[in-house]
Amino acid sequence: MSEQPSQQPPYSPDPRHLEDIPSVEVISRAAVMLLSAGAERLGLADADPATSPHRDLDEARRLITALAGLVTASAEYLGLHAGPLRDGLQSLQKAFREASVVPDLPGQGPGEKYTGPVY
């Protein structure tokens, strides 16, 4: 007897069609996903980030840089969403700097080529 894989509908995070979702919402969702993933990779979801099994500073650097590029490039379209996303980005950048054994020079940290130095 052969088993056939079950047919599952494709994943849809929203019952609306993608073309019906405003661009600011798509950009904001992507930014929030990058923000959340960056925090996870910094270990910020755990009681002791330094011992988090999810901590991976190389991965965090990539996610923070991608977030910085997205937020910087789309800030003019984000309206009220821009400020909180920039604040979240800056918090991740500072947490990364604190987590690094050898901190990057100002302006050399993740995403700082897009945002400027974060102290």
Side-chain angles (χ1 to χ4, degrees), residues 24-38:
V24 68
E25 189 174 337
V26 173
I27 295 166
S28 296
R29 285 183 187 191
V32 168
M33 180 174 278
L34 289 167
L35 189 66
S36 297

Side-chain angles (χ1 to χ4, degrees), residues 39-57 98-99 101:
E40 284 283 341
R41 292 303 188 167
L42 287 172
L44 299 178
D46 294 318
D48 183 8
T51 61
S52 171
H54 305 291
R55 189 173 198 170
D56 184 334
L57 296 183
E98 290 174 14
V101 176

Side-chain angles (χ1 to χ4, degrees), residues 4 10 28 39 44 46 67 72 94 107 117:
Q4 295 181 0
S28 296
L44 299 178
D46 294 318
L67 175 61
T72 301
K94 289 178 180 178

Side-chain angles (χ1 to χ4, degrees), residues 17-104:
H17 293 281
L18 195 54
E19 67 269 10
D20 296 332
I21 301 172
S23 59
V24 68
E25 189 174 337
V26 173
I27 295 166
S28 296
R29 285 183 187 191
V32 168
M33 180 174 278
L34 289 167
L35 189 66
S36 297
E40 284 283 341
R41 292 303 188 167
L42 287 172
L44 299 178
D46 294 318
D48 183 8
T51 61
S52 171
H54 305 291
R55 189 173 198 170
D56 184 334
L57 296 183
D58 188 46
E59 288 288 311
R61 176 183 294 277
R62 294 173 188 175
L63 292 163
I64 295 168
T65 300
L67 175 61
L70 177 62
V71 170
T72 301
S74 58
E76 68 180 291
Y77 308 115
L78 292 172
L80 299 173
H81 303 280
L85 289 172
R86 273 195 291 256
D87 292 346
L89 168 60
Q90 190 174 62
S91 293
L92 283 184
Q93 289 172 310
K94 289 178 180 178
F96 184 93
R97 186 169 294 284
E98 290 174 14
S100 297
V101 176
V102 180
D104 297 310

Side-chain angles (χ1 to χ4, degrees), residues 2-11:
S2 68
E3 293 204 20
Q4 295 181 0
S6 65
Q7 295 292 333
Q8 294 182 354
Y11 172 73

